[in-house]
Amino acid sequence: MKRMIIGISAATAVVLMTGAPAQAQVQTAPADPVKALKSQFVPGKGVRFTDLTTMIEDGEGKPYLRRTGSFQFGRRGIVASDISSKDAGPVDDRLNPPVPARTIRIGTTSYAQGGTYRDKMPRGKSWYKDPDGMTGGVDGWFSQLVNVAEPATLTSLLKGAKKSRTTYSGTTTFGRLAKVSPWFRATLPLRSSDKTVVTFKLTVDKNHLPQRLTTSFPVTGIFDSAGWEGKTISVETRFTGWGGRVSIKAPPANKVTTKLEDRDGV
C-alpha cells in the first residue's frame, strides 16, 4: 500500500511538472488588439465613445470641445457613425467657439446639423447632406483624428509602439495616418503639413480592446498661421460598450437639403 501511495504521488508530481510550462505559456502569450478589434465586426453591433479636446498654450490647458458618439459595425469594419459635439469650455473671449453640432455618417455620406451650417439652412430644413462628407463637420478638425476602431490604423500605431502592461505609446504623423485611415482623410481633408507629429497613448481593456486613447499634436499642423503658433491640441477618447447594439439611420428625408444659403442678418 505504501508503495502504491508513493507511486501515485510521483505520478502526480510528473503531471504537475509537465503541465506547468504549458499553463505559463498560455498566460504569457502576447495579446493581439487587432484580432480582438476584428472580432467585434458584427452587423448591428458597435461601440460608444466620448471625446474631450483640450487646447494647450504656454503649458496651460483649457477644455475646448466635448463629443459623444458611436460607431456601427459591419463585417469589415465601421459602416456608420453618429457624433454630437459642443463647446467644453467656459464663456470667454474666443472669437469662434464651437457651436453645438451633430454629424451622422453612413458609408461616405454625411448628414450635418448645427455648427457652421446652423445659419445656412433653407427654411424647413435642418440637415445638410454631403455624398462625400466629413466625419464631424468643421469642428472635427479639433477632435480625435486617430480612429483605433480601424484595423489598419490600429496596426500602424502598434507597429513600433512601446508597450507597458496594457498601454501602448508612441508617435505617428499626419502623413502615415492619411495613408492608412479613411477616417483621418475624411476628418481632415485639408492640412498644412503631413510631417506633423502625433503623440499617442492607448490603453486596452482585459479583452485587449481600446479603452482609452490620448493624442496630441501642434495646431499648426492644420493651420499654417502665426495665430496658432505654440498651441497644441490634446484629445482624450474613452470607449465603452464594445459589442453592444448600435443602429444608426439617416435623418428624415423631408428635413434634408443638399443646398445651403447665406441667411446671415435675416
Side-chain angles (χ1 to χ4, degrees):
M1 176 64 71
K2 184 176 181 181
R3 290 181 179 179
M4 290 179 63
I5 294 173
I6 293 174
I8 293 173
S9 299
T12 302
V14 169
V15 170
L16 291 175
M17 289 176 66
T18 56
Q23 183 178 7
Q25 185 176 5
V26 171
Q27 291 176 346
T28 59
D32 187 344
V34 177
K35 287 185 178 179
L37 173 63
K38 290 181 177 180
S39 72
Q40 296 296 303
F41 294 162
V42 178
K45 303 294 185 178
V47 65
R48 303 184 186 281
F49 62 89
T50 59
D51 287 347
L52 176 62
T53 298
T54 302
M55 191 73 70
I56 303 172
E57 183 177 12
D58 296 329
E60 182 180 355
K62 292 183 178 181
Y64 183 80
L65 183 71
R66 191 180 300 276
R67 304 197 311 169
T68 58
S70 58
F71 294 135
Q72 181 180 334
F73 296 142
R75 290 185 175 85
R76 295 186 178 182
I78 300 170
V79 296
S81 60
D82 186 352
I83 302 173
S84 296
S85 61
K86 63 181 180 179
D87 189 356
V91 176
D92 55 22
D93 57 357
R94 285 177 295 171
L95 294 176
N96 296 297
V99 175
R102 182 182 177 190
T103 302
I104 294 174
R105 197 166 190 259
I106 300 175
T108 61
T109 299
S110 293
Y111 301 86
Q113 181 185 65
T116 56
Y117 302 110
R118 181 183 59 178
D119 298 323
K120 300 181 184 297
M121 290 287 175
R123 297 191 184 281
K125 306 294 183 180
S126 53
W127 294 89
Y128 173 63
K129 179 181 179 180
D130 188 341
D132 195 21
M134 299 171 66
T135 64
V138 174
D139 287 336
W141 295 348
F142 297 99
S143 66
Q144 184 58 271
L145 303 179
V146 181
N147 191 338
V148 290
E150 292 177 320
T153 300
L154 184 57
T155 298
S156 178
L157 293 182
L158 297 183
K159 185 178 181 180
K162 180 180 179 180
K163 183 182 179 183
S164 177
R165 307 184 81 175
T166 59
T167 299
Y168 300 82
S169 58
T171 62
T172 185
T173 65
F174 279 3
R176 288 181 215 148
L177 290 170
K179 288 181 180 179
V180 301
S181 174
W183 184 267
F184 177 84
R185 295 193 295 270
T187 302
L188 195 63
L190 301 175
R191 47 198 177 271
S192 67
S193 174
D194 275 348
K195 294 181 180 180
T196 302
V197 175
V198 180
T199 300
F200 72 87
K201 182 178 289 186
L202 172 67
T203 300
V204 296
D205 62 18
K206 62 181 181 180
N207 296 315
H208 316 303
L209 293 165
Q211 182 179 54
R212 180 175 178 265
L213 171 68
T214 58
T215 61
S216 62
F217 58 90
V219 186
T220 50
I222 303 176
F223 303 110
D224 185 11
S225 171
W228 293 105
E229 289 286 347
K231 295 183 180 181
T232 298
I233 286 177
S234 177
V235 187
E236 179 188 63
T237 302
R238 292 183 179 271
F239 298 90
T240 58
W242 284 99
R245 179 171 177 77
V246 176
S247 178
I248 298 172
K249 298 180 180 180
N254 63 347
K255 295 295 182 181
V256 174
T257 182
T258 58
K259 296 180 180 180
L260 297 174
E261 300 177 354
D262 187 356
R263 296 180 55 200
D264 291 341
V266 176

